[in-house]
Amino acid sequence: QSVLTQPPSVSAAPGQKVTISCSGSSSNIGNNYVSWYHQLPGTAPKLLIYDNNKRPSGIPDRFSGSKSGTSATLGITGLQTGDEADYYCGTWDSSLSAVVFGGGTKLTVL
Amino acid sequence: QVQLVESGGGVVQPGRSLRLSCAASGFTFSSYAIHWVRQAPGKGLEWVAVISYIGSNKYYADSVKGRFTISRDNSKNTLFLQMNSLRAEDTAVYYCAKENEPEAGRSEIDYWGQGTLVTVSS
């Protein structure tokens, strides 16, 4: 059971928009920055969003992040088949003194 | 460019020990906290441990506390994970991952290695 809660899967058609939610508590999302990672099959995770809503260089602006209270959301617009991957949210948990991740969300682009 | 290369994985019997290494390059290793994160086959990411830039602070997941030890050699740009009393549930790909700050928990994990597979089986 992950400390952060994500939907197991989401799907949408190419060109459409999808959002992935990440729910936590005051000890993690509520008081720390959230990051998002994507993981293509058979590869290592890669940073997608940091500090709730910032994109590293090279990440297109189709990807966006937001946070409100103890929840965070990843948004992806203009879906492409290459976006099919597992997506994870992560943050520091101040009570556990640990990094916590969501259970991951599998994105399918139909 | 930042590179993190893990090694030391393999097949080990339950109760035995294994030591993983992570060789870093492309950045000032001694200036950043470094993590170990693992992923069991077909499962999600599970954080294992983190060590601060000079090794003064270390934090562990409850699942490995007392069995695993994280350490670093800044003179050799290398991170280690000593794993003792291994269990079947420790079977996973182990990634080393760089945090974007010297101390743990202050920033995002911005780079990941390619991982090394540890299989605990008799």
Side-chain angles (χ1 to χ4, degrees), chain A residues 46-60:
Chain A
K46 181 180 177 182
L47 180 64
L48 203 56
I49 296 288
Y50 68 99
D51 287 359
N52 304 330
N53 55 18
K54 297 177 182 174
R55 286 175 286 107
S57 60
I59 301 299

Side-chain angles (χ1 to χ4, degrees), chain B residues 66-114:
Chain B
R67 299 188 300 124
F68 289 12
T69 302
I70 189 171
S71 62
R72 65 191 296 163
D73 184 340
N74 285 346
S75 68
K76 296 181 179 178
N77 290 350
T78 304
L79 175 76
F80 302 100
L81 185 67
Q82 178 66 42
M83 304 186 294
N84 299 332
S85 302
L86 282 162
R87 307 166 180 166
E89 53 265 36
D90 295 319
T91 294
V93 173
Y94 284 74
Y95 296 101
C96 70
K98 169 188 167 293
E99 183 166 340
N100 200 20
E101 283 280 348
E103 291 291 345
R106 304 268 180 93
S107 184
E108 69 280 3
I109 290 175
D110 57 354
Y111 290 96
W112 301 67
Q114 85 291 347

Side-chain angles (χ1 to χ4, degrees), chain A residues 62-84:
Chain A
R62 300 188 298 108
F63 296 89
S64 63
S66 64
K67 188 182 99 167
S68 178
T70 59
S71 293
T73 302
L74 174 70
I76 311 172
T77 60
L79 278 171
Q80 302 173 1
T81 54
D83 295 331
E84 286 200 335

Side-chain angles (χ1 to χ4, degrees), chain A residues 2 32-33 35 37 39 42-47 49-51 86 88 92 96-104, chain B residues 35 37 39 43-47 50 59-62 65 95 99 104-110 112-115:
Chain A
S2 301
N32 293 289
Y33 287 116
S35 301
Y37 305 89
Q39 185 178 33
T43 69
K46 181 180 177 182
L47 180 64
I49 296 288
Y50 68 99
D51 287 359
D86 293 322
Y88 296 90
W92 182 256
L96 299 174
S97 292
V99 172
V100 291
F101 291 106
Chain B
H35 300 253
V37 178
Q39 187 170 33
K43 302 296 184 182
L45 301 175
E46 180 189 13
W47 177 79
V50 62
Y59 302 98
Y60 297 91
D62 286 343
K65 204 170 292 182
Y95 296 101
E99 183 166 340
R106 304 268 180 93
S107 184
E108 69 280 3
I109 290 175
D110 57 354
W112 301 67
Q114 85 291 347

